[in-house]
């Protein structure tokens, strides 16, 4: 009797597991399913830049916009952005930090900057200057401009759900995991980008 119960329980569990697996396989458009693939690096395109791996950086530099991966700018650009005076006038905002936090974050960014990356797409962000403004920008790098010049202004500045090209994660569904592949672009109110 006891053995039968155990067997029945085991079967139920096995059937449930099968059902779940069937669902996961059949539901190709499920976002979470895709995330799983990304994490394991199968099927779907992998990371273009190393995901953020520093808690202080994620918290402090992710408060107003996404915490941009260090591989999106060269070391010298991060050094300029992290200078104390620059943090006090950060693209018009005040992003000042304590001395300790500033040192930790600046060190993390320098150690993982674009030219240090093993990933070719991150290295592409280290080529040429990063704009002529007071502070460098990812969006001003040559590689970035080449990749985004075809997007009409109405989809960006004229789009209340995007606002600016600096909001990578508004359009790139994998931005937080460092995935910028054009096949995972979905512009709010416009849809997938297929060209
Ligand atoms: C108080 C809010 C705030 C905080 C905190 C903040 N930022 Fe920013 N950051 C901004 C604003 C505003 C912009 C300009 C965005 C735009 O032009 O759309 C910006 C832009 C940037 C850009 C340029 C993005 C582009 O256009 O390519 C970088 C790089 C950047 N921030 C890095 C950092 C780093 C590193 C930290 C942490 C030390 C940080 N930010 C913290 C508000 C903030
Ligand atoms: C308005 C939506 C939008 C925003 C915001 C945006 N992108 Fe993109 N991005 C695109 C589109 C669309 C493409 C594909 C362009 C093409 O192929 O013509 C693209 C392409 C790219 C590519 C090349 C991908 C590939 O497969 O070749 C990279 C890398 C990239 N973006 C990084 C970024 C980063 C980093 C940010 C933020 C600083 C950002 N993007 C902000 C829409 C956006």
């Amino acid at each position: 009797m006891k053995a039968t119960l155990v067997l029945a329980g085991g079967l139920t569990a096995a059937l449930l597991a099968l059902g779940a697996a069937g669902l996961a396989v059949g539901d190709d458009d499920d976002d979470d399913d895709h995330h799983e693939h990304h994490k394991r690096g199968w099927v779907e395109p992998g990371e273009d830049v190393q995901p953020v791996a520093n808690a202080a950086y994620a918290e402090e530099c992710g408060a107003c916009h996404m915490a941009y991966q260090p591989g999106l700018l060269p070391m010298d650009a991060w050094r300029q952005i992290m200078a104390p005076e620059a943090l006090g006038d950060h693209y018009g905002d005040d992003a000042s930090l304590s001395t300790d936090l500033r040192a930790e974050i600046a060190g993390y960014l320098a150690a993982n900057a674009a030219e240090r990356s093993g990933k070719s797409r991150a290295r592409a962000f280290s080529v040429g200057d990063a704009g002529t403004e007071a502070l460098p920008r990812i969006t001003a790098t040559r590689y970035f401009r080449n990749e985004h010049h075809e997007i009409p202004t109405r989809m960006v500045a004229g789009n209340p759900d995007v606002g600016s090209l600096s909001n990578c994660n508004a359009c790139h569904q994998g931005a937080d995991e460092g995935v910028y592949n054009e096949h995972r672009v979905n512009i709010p109110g416009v849809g997938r980008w297929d060209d």
Side-chain angles (χ1 to χ4, degrees):
M1 199 59 198
K2 202 173 178 200
T4 319
L5 269 177
V6 168
L7 181 61
L11 263 176
T12 310
L15 284 172
L16 278 172
L18 268 175
L23 266 179
V25 170
D27 191 2
D28 257 342
D29 281 316
D30 185 79
D31 231 344
D32 289 325
D33 193 31
H34 280 199
H35 280 273
E36 284 310 304
H37 287 310
H38 280 298
K39 290 211 180 92
R40 294 185 221 134
W42 311 340
V43 186
E44 291 279 333
E47 291 154 5
D48 296 300
V49 294
Q50 207 69 46
V52 167
N54 177 287
Y57 176 71
E59 184 170 338
E60 301 295 335
C61 303
C64 303
H65 45 67
M66 70 170 264
Y68 303 113
Q69 288 86 8
L72 293 174
L73 276 177
M75 209 182 300
D76 188 60
W78 288 125
R79 191 186 50 73
Q80 291 177 54
I81 291 168
M82 293 304 296
E85 329 77 71
L87 286 175
D89 184 8
H90 178 84
Y91 309 89
D93 271 16
D94 187 348
S96 301
L97 293 169
S98 70
T99 310
D100 285 358
L101 272 175
R102 197 191 66 79
E104 176 181 348
I105 292 171
Y108 167 67
L109 288 169
N112 295 282
E115 62 269 57
R116 295 239 166 129
S117 176
K119 299 188 188 291
S120 58
R121 201 163 269 148
R123 280 201 307 277
F125 280 97
S126 75
V127 178
D129 64 53
T132 49
E133 277 186 87
L135 284 179
R137 281 181 180 266
I138 300 159
T139 50
T141 58
R142 194 199 306 161
Y143 175 60
F144 185 94
R145 285 184 284 117
N146 283 343
E147 292 291 339
H148 297 85
H149 71 277
E150 283 177 21
I151 308 172
T153 314
R154 70 181 157 79
M155 295 184 189
V156 187
N159 185 341
D161 294 324
V162 181
S164 145
L165 280 175
S166 309
N167 293 326
C168 320
N169 51 340
C171 303
H172 288 277
Q173 295 183 305
D176 292 329
E177 300 111 72
V179 178
Y180 289 98
N181 192 283
E182 60 186 302
H183 300 300
R184 291 204 66 208
V185 171
N186 193 337
I187 305 179
V190 179
R192 298 203 167 267
W193 185 264
D194 291 310
D195 66 356

